Amino acid sequence: MPPAADAVQTLANETDAQAVAQTSAAMESAAGRITELRVSANLMALETGIYCVYPAAGSPSPDPVTGLPGVRITRCPGMAGRPEAVSISTFRDDGWLDNTAALVRVTDGPAQVLVTIYQAAGQPAETAPRLQVLRLTGDPAAAGPAPSAPAAKEPEADVMAHIQSAGDVPGPFGEWIGKRGSGAWIEGFGISDKGLIAPGDMEYQGVLGRGWLSPWVDNGKYCGSRGMALPLLGLNVRLKGAAAKEYTVRYSATFVDGSAVGPVEEGTACEAPGLAAMESFLIELVVKSNTEHPESARPSAPRPAPPKTPARSGRR
């Protein structure tokens, strides 16, 4: 081979060697930036209804840095998933459960959703979060065990709310239940059928997500959940029957983001613009016959009588 050709071949070999070395280094660098995860996925078939999917008690909390183990619930690809029949809402905008809950609404079941669990490579499969599924539609009592009638424990209580870390808290119409600024959300509430409103004459809903409300529940029953870290995002109340002829109802609420809404008229969802969890609410009954100067139907304390003016004699 001529010297010039030999020099060209040597340069080509050196260039190829450099390219191979650079490619190898790039691959090693890329390998250092890629972390393998343990991923498991399951298809879950659901009938028509609204469901709450949440981590069971004792499930591991996500690592504050990696967020693992993590859970996502998504529409299932393919015809079995029927994307048009399934809506999924989570408390985080990015879709991760993060020890919270997901609301799944199936408008035309059965349909499938995809539950995917992500773990670090060294985490054994048995440490994956365990999920529970609660159906919120159908029997209203399915959302949580129905409380005993509030009036049995507190005869003067018209309303009862289950508050995070506080349990069941009763109160009358016209007074706030829950504490503004506490950061403790309301998981459910019920209205007595033993007081001013006859059984079935008041209905109410809980706000579950944007455009999502629970089924209507009659007074005397519980609306919401207990012990699942699942807050209500607002409420909706309306009257019917004899109560609707005698009263109107209005209600207000405060939320954990500091916002306050109300009073709003019956049949209108009272919710925060940002759909924050509800931390306190007030329900007022207003007598229809006194619409010019409405007052709460619950009688207020009597006002003191004005002082008497001393009688004057007829002579000056």
Side-chain angles (χ1 to χ4, degrees), residues 21-47:
Q22 291 174 356
T23 301
S24 177
M27 294 177 63
E28 291 178 0
S29 177
R33 294 194 300 267
I34 297 174
T35 301
E36 184 178 354
L37 299 179
R38 175 192 293 271
V39 180
S40 60
N42 297 275
L43 293 175
M44 181 168 58
L46 299 173
E47 298 294 334

Side-chain angles (χ1 to χ4, degrees), residues 163-179:
I163 302 176
Q164 181 190 30
S165 304
D168 292 350
V169 177
F173 290 130
E175 291 189 9
W176 287 92
I177 298 181
K179 185 177 181 181

Side-chain angles (χ1 to χ4, degrees), residues 35-39 68 118-128:
T35 301
E36 184 178 354
L37 299 179
R38 175 192 293 271
V39 180
L68 300 175
Y118 300 82
Q119 297 175 267
Q123 292 179 327
E126 56 268 20
T127 63

Side-chain angles (χ1 to χ4, degrees), residues 3 32 43 54 66 92 95 99 107 109 115 122 161 233 263 266 270 273 284 296:
L43 293 175
Y54 60 98
T66 65
R92 286 182 47 158
N99 258 0
T107 57
V115 181
L233 310 182
E266 62 181 278
C270 182
E284 300 174 280
S296 172

Side-chain angles (χ1 to χ4, degrees), residues 224-241:
S225 61
R226 280 189 174 92
M228 300 193 314
L230 178 62
L232 292 181
L233 310 182
L235 75 163
N236 189 17
V237 185
R238 68 185 181 188
L239 295 172
K240 60 181 183 178

